[in-house]
Amino acid sequence: MKKIFTVAAAAALGLSLAACDSAAEEQAEGEIDAMEDAANAQIDAMEDSGQITDDQADAMMDGVEADAQAMEDSIDQMDPDTPAEADAAMQAAPQ
């Protein structure tokens, strides 16, 4: 029961914070999510075709997730108002 409450509280916090983002920030985060989804799909395809092992796929997906999180953190920190500022924030993220 505690776990459900924690997840619900985290979701509510996430929604309340999302309401504070600028349109440029929302767009940039959407682009990051799309890039992450595309990379994960490509990794899945490589795993399914036997090019990489399950462990390799997991490690690659972890790396993609870490990179996406770093970009989102950079965007949150810079709090961009324009798409150009959001692009600069994504480029400034540590890799």
Side-chain angles (χ1 to χ4, degrees):
M1 186 68 174
K2 279 186 185 178
K3 189 173 187 176
I4 292 171
F5 178 74
T6 303
V7 170
L13 177 62
L15 290 174
S16 67
L17 292 175
C20 298
D21 292 346
S22 69
E25 191 171 347
E26 289 293 330
Q27 179 181 353
E29 289 176 356
E31 290 174 10
I32 292 168
D33 289 342
M35 287 188 295
E36 185 177 11
D37 290 344
N40 286 338
Q42 192 171 26
I43 293 167
D44 281 336
M46 291 170 64
E47 181 183 8
D48 292 345
S49 70
Q51 294 175 326
I52 59 174
T53 66
D54 183 46
D55 289 339
Q56 289 171 319
D58 290 344
M60 291 172 73
M61 286 184 182
D62 288 346
V64 168
E65 184 178 349
D67 289 346
Q69 187 61 53
M71 284 189 278
E72 287 183 12
D73 291 346
S74 179
I75 289 169
D76 287 341
Q77 184 178 17
M78 291 182 77
D79 195 25
D81 290 322
T82 66
E85 290 174 354
D87 287 343
M90 287 193 313
Q91 296 300 322
Q95 298 291 326

